[in-house]
Amino acid sequence: NPEPVTGLFFDRDGNLWLGVEPYGLIRLNPETGDLKRYDLVTVETAPHLSRDALAYSNTAYRFWQDDTGSIWCTTRDGLYCFDPKTGRATPCRPADFDPRDAEFRQTYSLLPDGDLLWMGGWSSGLQCYNRKTGEWEQYFFNMDYGKSGVTNIVDHIAHKNAEEIWIASKDRGLGIFNKKTKRFSFPAHDPDANPALPKTDVGIFCIDRQGQLWLDVNDQLAR
């Protein structure tokens, strides 16, 4: 049976990498057509997960290749760094990582920003990893019910300008995060200024050459 493809990425050597649920990473050599599979989330890399959790967490969603050739991948078990030369994956977690909070460290979207990697995920808000220092920051925008599996859901992120990041949120709609103030704003929740913006269920979006935002809202296209 065909399995869901969760992400596609071409590396600098022209290899096509696929995230395939729940089979980790698959590399396709475009010249030979050969396929090779690499597991990311395993008993060794994620000893805190149950067998069932391992089965659905071993999936890559977004990719970015750094100057050393390493490929950074987002997964349900957080951020992983994959070395194509050795075929080994290394999880990247905060020094104070608590296995009981693994649900709130999921990552899906990925945005490179110099030494920083910004990530959005399900119930994990916005996370930031500094590749140079190894430091982590995590920012929640909806704590009305504490940490919850149905809040702080970020499906997509993109640069707005040098100081701000667009975020697409299931529970608060389209938002903006200011990297200097560390604060979120959600224009849709200011009805006087933005009465037409959706207040929830914003998924993937893109920005066209005219600077207009195109949004996936409840499986419909909005501009």
Side-chain angles (χ1 to χ4, degrees):
N1 294 331
E3 301 295 344
V5 174
T6 55
L8 297 170
F9 173 75
F10 280 99
D11 67 19
R12 296 192 187 99
D13 297 323
N15 296 299
L16 174 62
W17 296 85
L18 300 90
V20 180
E21 187 176 358
Y23 299 112
L25 275 176
I26 294 179
R27 183 184 66 186
L28 170 65
N29 187 313
E31 296 182 359
T32 65
D34 292 337
L35 293 172
K36 189 168 183 178
R37 184 169 78 88
Y38 303 90
D39 287 318
L40 298 172
V41 185
T42 65
V43 172
E44 289 75 24
T45 61
H48 57 281
L49 295 180
S50 66
R51 180 175 298 181
D52 289 342
L54 284 171
Y56 65 72
S57 296
N58 186 33
T59 304
Y61 294 93
R62 295 292 179 268
F63 311 90
W64 177 69
Q65 189 173 30
D66 66 22
D67 293 338
T68 70
S70 294
I71 298 175
W72 298 80
C73 313
T74 57
T75 77
R76 283 193 179 105
D77 187 48
L79 181 67
Y80 275 70
C81 183
F82 178 77
D83 186 345
K85 296 177 182 177
T86 64
R88 295 182 62 85
T90 303
C92 299
R93 301 188 179 105
D96 60 351
F97 173 74
D98 187 339
R100 294 171 296 182
D101 282 341
E103 174 186 1
F104 308 110
R105 286 291 183 175
Q106 299 180 65
T107 58
Y108 294 94
S109 51
L110 179 64
L111 181 66
D113 184 16
D115 290 326
L116 305 179
L117 292 178
W118 295 91
M119 293 153 283
W122 191 276
S123 72
S124 56
L126 188 66
Q127 299 183 70
C128 181
Y129 174 65
N130 189 315
R131 296 184 296 119
K132 182 176 291 186
T133 66
E135 294 177 317
W136 280 84
E137 297 289 346
Q138 187 170 26
Y139 307 96
F140 295 106
F141 51 84
N142 185 357
M143 296 302 289
D144 292 345
Y145 308 98
K147 287 185 177 180
S148 165
V150 295
T151 60
N152 294 292
I153 301 168
V154 178
D155 276 347
H156 190 63
I157 52 180
H159 291 294
K160 184 176 186 290
N161 52 48
E163 296 183 1
E164 296 176 311
I165 295 173
W166 287 111
I167 70 167
S169 163
K170 287 293 186 187
D171 42 323
R172 288 289 175 87
L174 183 67
I176 299 168
F177 178 76
N178 188 297
K179 294 186 288 185
K180 285 191 173 181
T181 65
K182 314 297 184 186
R183 292 183 178 275
F184 293 93
S185 59
F186 293 89
H189 292 264
D190 181 358
D192 294 332
N194 298 279
L197 281 173
K199 292 181 171 59
T200 59
D201 293 319
V202 175
I204 292 175
F205 61 86
C206 69
I207 306 169
D208 66 21
R209 294 179 180 177
Q210 286 72 45
Q212 300 177 107
L213 279 170
W214 294 83
L215 312 171
D216 168 17
V217 183
N218 284 323
D219 296 326
Q220 298 183 24
L221 185 63
R223 184 183 66 181

